[in-house]
Amino acid sequence: MQHRPWIRLILSAALVCTGLNASAQGYPTKPITMVVPFPPGGVADTVGRPVAEAMSRHLKQSIVVENKGGAGGGIGMAQVAKAKGDGYTVLMSLSSLVVLPEADKILQRSPLFQVNQLKAIARFTADPTVLVVRADSPWKTYAQFMAYVKSNPAKISFGSSGNYGTMHVPMEQLKAATSTFMLHVPYTGAGPAVLSLLSGQIEALSTGPASVKQHIASGRLRALAHWGEGRLASMPEVPSLKELGVPIQYSQWSGLFVPADTPAAVVDSLRQAAQFAAQDPRAVAALTASGTSFMYQDAPEFERFVQADAKEMSALVVRIGKVD
């Protein structure tokens, strides 16, 4: 007996669904690599490690963190964007992901990757960056620091994780809003930039609280202001730039991505693992201790957030113009 066309169509659909379910049930069958596109010690690394550990317990498979610094995070981001979409290479990125392709255009070079080559899985954190100086510096307040900057053009240098990265953009915002000049010194990540500040090679930087909280607590660094709204729970004594009369705002977020062609069943498995990590007591405690906290967004909401942030940051990068 011959099957009618509509019966064959139903049978084909059932086979496809069965295959997807099998894929979801079988994944993962080997260790997963989580690429952190910066050296150890930065925000992406601080977030990535406890998240990877929690996700690995949920997936019952190890997740190995691989630090792949360079080009302000672009090298590691491009590695995942161009990887096979099988769920075994994932990216823990910062918000510079939405800036770097536009920055490459401004610098008249071919972008290392495009945002649409990646699929958003989950956002974990979103922290305003914090302006910090050494505790033995003469600046005890933002007003003192800015007065010196205005009186001594080009004598202050600040570090970043790379051109147009999440430590560079907020400082360019500050320079533009205050009509000041400071020398930009790019590093391969937040960790090396913070070490450079501690050793006196640069005078200031802006970074996520997690990168500097321990050094502030130990009395080696001093926070002068932050780019958020109101006061930060982890640093309630530090005023926002808006409070100080500088109408700018910037948030450094961290989120999980996979190559855009990753199958839906695998994406769902990773989403479930990410949700588990966001509620895991060990991961929550680790991030809280570092000075950050979960600001979780699941895939659909995070995807909309990324698109909106890309639009806003692209316009900002165009305003900033060429790097100094």
Side-chain angles (χ1 to χ4, degrees):
M1 182 179 71
Q2 291 184 331
H3 293 298
R4 293 180 182 179
W6 63 270
I7 294 178
R8 288 199 300 271
L9 184 61
I10 291 173
L11 290 172
S12 297
L15 287 172
V16 169
C17 291
T18 301
L20 288 176
N21 288 335
S23 175
Q25 291 170 2
Y27 172 84
T29 60
K30 62 181 181 179
I32 298 165
T33 297
M34 176 185 284
V35 175
V36 172
F38 302 99
V43 173
D45 190 69
T46 300
V47 175
R49 290 184 183 277
V51 166
E53 194 277 330
M55 289 180 64
S56 69
R57 280 188 277 114
H58 178 82
L59 293 169
K60 295 179 174 54
Q61 187 61 257
S62 62
I63 299 180
V64 181
V65 173
E66 177 186 326
N67 294 94
K68 189 80 171 181
I75 291 176
M77 296 172 194
Q79 176 183 326
V80 180
K82 298 171 183 178
K84 184 178 180 181
D86 55 8
Y88 291 101
T89 305
V90 302
L91 172 69
M92 179 60 75
S93 182
L94 299 183
S95 38
S96 48
L97 178 139
V98 301
V99 173
L100 295 180
E102 187 64 39
D104 281 335
K105 293 178 190 175
I106 290 174
L107 296 171
Q108 298 183 338
R109 62 194 184 197
S110 178
L112 292 172
F113 68 96
Q114 297 292 345
V115 177
N116 62 11
Q117 290 179 273
L118 293 159
K119 182 185 290 292
I121 299 294
R123 188 187 76 178
F124 291 101
T125 65
D127 289 311
T129 54
V130 181
L131 176 65
V132 292
V133 297
R134 289 192 312 280
D136 61 0
S137 74
W139 314 299
K140 291 183 170 49
T141 65
Y142 167 81
Q144 291 174 348
F145 174 76
M146 192 51 61
Y148 183 89
V149 170
K150 290 181 177 180
S151 301
N152 299 273
K155 286 191 177 181
I156 293 292
S157 59
F158 70 92
S160 82
S161 55
N163 289 334
Y164 287 103
T166 58
M167 298 170 68
H168 181 205
V169 169
M171 290 300 285
E172 292 294 343
Q173 278 185 309
L174 181 62
K175 286 165 58 179
T178 56
S179 301
T180 55
F181 179 80
M182 290 176 272
L183 180 65
H184 174 219
V185 183
Y187 293 87
T188 57
V194 171
L195 289 175
S196 185
L197 176 61
L198 290 167
S199 64
Q201 297 177 54
I202 55 175
E203 286 75 41
L205 55 77
S206 170
T207 188
S211 296
V212 291
K213 184 185 176 184
Q214 61 176 322
H215 301 301
I216 294 171
S218 69
R220 300 182 69 190
L221 295 181
R222 177 183 297 127
L224 301 180
H226 68 81
W227 272 253
E229 294 270 8
R231 297 293 175 113
L232 302 180
S234 61
M235 300 180 186
E237 72 286 356
V238 180
S240 70
L241 286 166
K242 284 189 172 183
E243 286 181 67
L244 298 168
V246 187
I248 57 176
Q249 192 171 348
Y250 183 82
S251 180
Q252 184 185 74
W253 51 259
S254 66
L256 189 69
F257 294 82
V258 292
D261 62 350
T262 302
V266 173
V267 168
D268 285 344
S269 293
L270 289 169
R271 282 176 64 188
Q272 291 170 23
Q275 290 166 5
F276 173 85
Q279 301 174 59
D280 178 66
R282 284 192 234 170
V284 170
L287 287 192
T288 301
S290 74
T292 190
S293 57
F294 279 107
M295 295 286 288
Y296 187 79
Q297 285 184 334
D298 194 21
E301 185 182 6
F302 183 38
E303 181 63 41
R304 292 190 293 271
F305 174 86
V306 168
Q307 292 175 1
D309 197 44
K311 183 177 180 180
E312 181 180 348
M313 288 297 106
S314 293
L316 175 61
V317 167
V318 170
R319 289 200 302 273
I320 290 173
K322 292 183 178 180
V323 297
D324 53 11

